[in-house]
Amino acid sequence: MPPKRETIIKHARQRIERIRQTLSGIDTLCSGTLLQRTKVCGKSGCRCAQDVSARHGPYYEWGHMVEGKLIHRVVSPQQAALLQIAIDNYRHAQRLLREWETETEYLIDAEAPRKP
C-alpha cells in the first residue's frame, strides 16, 4: 500500500527544513579546486632536480571559473586552509540543494498529483 499523501508531504517538509537549517550554518563558500604543488627550481646544483622529496614547496594554487574562464591564483598556506573549508562547504551546499530539489519534486507530486 503506498504511503499516504499527508505522510509524504509531512516528511518532505521535514527534510526540507533540515536542509535549510544545515545551509544556514554554512559561513563561507567558494567554488573551484585547491592544488598543492612542489617545484623544481632549475638551478643545476640544487638537489630538487634529482630528489623528488627535495622539491621546493608546497605551493598552493586555487583554480576557479570567472566569467567563463579558468583562473589560477597562488595563495598562502593560511589562505589555502580557509579555501579548502570554503570549497568543501560549497560542494556540501550543492549536494544539499540537489536533495532539496528532489524533496520539492516529491512535495509537488503529493500536493498536486498528475491526472491520468
Side-chain angles (χ1 to χ4, degrees), residues 4-110:
K4 287 186 172 181
R5 190 172 78 93
E6 295 82 21
T7 304
I8 293 171
I9 292 170
K10 178 183 171 189
H11 288 162
R13 289 202 184 278
Q14 288 172 345
R15 287 187 292 263
I16 288 171
E17 184 55 33
R18 281 196 299 273
I19 291 167
R20 281 184 181 159
Q21 289 174 358
T22 304
L23 285 171
S24 72
I26 295 174
D27 288 334
T28 57
L29 293 171
C30 277
S31 63
T33 303
L34 190 62
L35 304 171
Q36 179 180 335
R37 298 180 179 219
T38 56
K39 297 181 180 181
V40 178
C41 68
K43 294 179 183 175
S44 59
C46 187
R47 63 188 186 114
C48 69
Q50 280 76 34
D51 186 5
V52 174
S53 65
R55 290 188 176 174
H56 301 282
Y59 299 102
Y60 297 93
E61 284 185 22
W62 172 39
H64 63 288
M65 298 297 285
V66 175
E67 297 178 4
K69 294 181 181 180
L70 181 61
I71 304 296
H72 283 272
R73 177 178 148 190
V74 176
V75 296
S76 71
Q78 294 82 11
Q79 289 175 324
L82 295 172
L83 270 168
Q84 190 58 63
I85 292 167
I87 290 168
D88 292 343
N89 285 344
Y90 179 83
R91 292 176 182 169
H92 184 62
Q94 292 293 96
R95 282 191 300 275
L96 289 171
L97 289 173
R98 285 191 297 272
E99 289 177 27
W100 192 344
E101 184 177 13
T102 300
E103 294 303 326
T104 300
E105 185 178 347
Y106 293 149
L107 199 56
I108 290 169
D109 286 343

